[in-house]
Amino acid sequence: MSEIDRLDAELLLLLTDEPRLGVLECSRRLGVARGTVQARMDRLEQRGVLTGFPPEVHLAAMGYGLTAFAVLEIAQGKRAEVTERLRAIDEVCEVHATTGEGDLLVRMVAKSNADLQRVIDEVVDVSWVRRTSTSIALSTPVPSRVRPLLEKVAGT
């Protein structure tokens, strides 16, 4: 898979800052032809670099003020089954297969400590989950980000 170039990075930075910009406005701001921007966006989408333009949703503002991470140890060979069942729990936001002591890292949200206990109970009830270790996030000093990587490629 080839890396992105400077123009790709500048386009992605622009769309990161203002995801509702149209192709014509992107071309104007980047100083390139509209067709160039459209071709770049199409190529980035085909390669899976650009996956969409969803709104950024602040979960705490929706009432989900607690974020927790659980490390799950699962029965060998059951990752697909466990992740499918975790996908059915609405409060499970992400699941990562990992190396190390656990097999899966789960990010989940809850409305309160009691609600978190309910979510953890749902996770523990998933067949083939052998052991869990949960930590509550107190704050998020570095939120999920891609800007530094894009700026590095763009040379800004």
Side-chain angles (χ1 to χ4, degrees):
M1 183 156 17
S2 61
E3 295 182 12
I4 64 173
D5 65 14
R6 183 182 183 124
L7 181 58
D8 289 337
E10 289 173 353
L11 175 60
L12 290 169
L13 279 167
L14 189 58
L15 292 171
T16 297
D17 291 341
E18 300 179 63
R20 298 172 75 166
L21 283 181
V23 173
L24 188 60
E25 182 60 19
C26 288
S27 69
R28 187 187 70 73
R29 292 191 191 185
L30 294 171
V32 298
R34 181 194 175 286
T36 300
V37 169
Q38 187 64 60
R40 294 293 182 119
M41 287 177 66
D42 291 345
R43 193 182 86 239
L44 290 168
E45 285 182 54
Q46 289 169 353
R47 290 178 41 214
V49 174
L50 182 60
T51 59
F53 299 92
E56 187 171 326
V57 177
H58 192 262
L59 292 172
M62 288 179 48
Y64 292 94
L66 279 176
T67 298
F69 297 89
V71 175
L72 276 56
E73 292 178 19
I74 63 172
Q76 288 201 345
K78 296 297 183 181
R79 186 178 70 224
E81 292 89 340
V82 171
T83 55
E84 193 58 37
R85 292 203 169 119
L86 291 172
R87 185 176 281 116
I89 301 171
D90 295 337
E91 294 83 2
V92 170
C93 298
E94 294 178 64
V95 178
H96 300 269
T98 60
T99 62
E101 292 183 29
D103 302 302
L104 298 173
L105 176 65
V106 178
R107 181 173 71 94
M108 61 189 105
V109 294
K111 294 181 176 190
S112 65
N113 286 343
D115 190 40
L116 178 60
Q117 182 63 62
R118 177 192 58 77
V119 175
I120 291 169
D121 289 345
E122 283 188 53
V123 169
V124 170
D125 284 344
V126 171
S127 297
W128 306 295
V129 171
R130 300 291 182 237
R131 178 183 212 96
T132 66
S133 174
T134 305
S135 299
I136 295 175
L138 299 176
S139 66
T140 307
V142 180
S144 179
R145 63 193 185 135
V146 296
R147 174 169 282 290
L149 297 172
L150 293 171
E151 288 174 344
K152 183 177 184 178
V153 174
T156 57

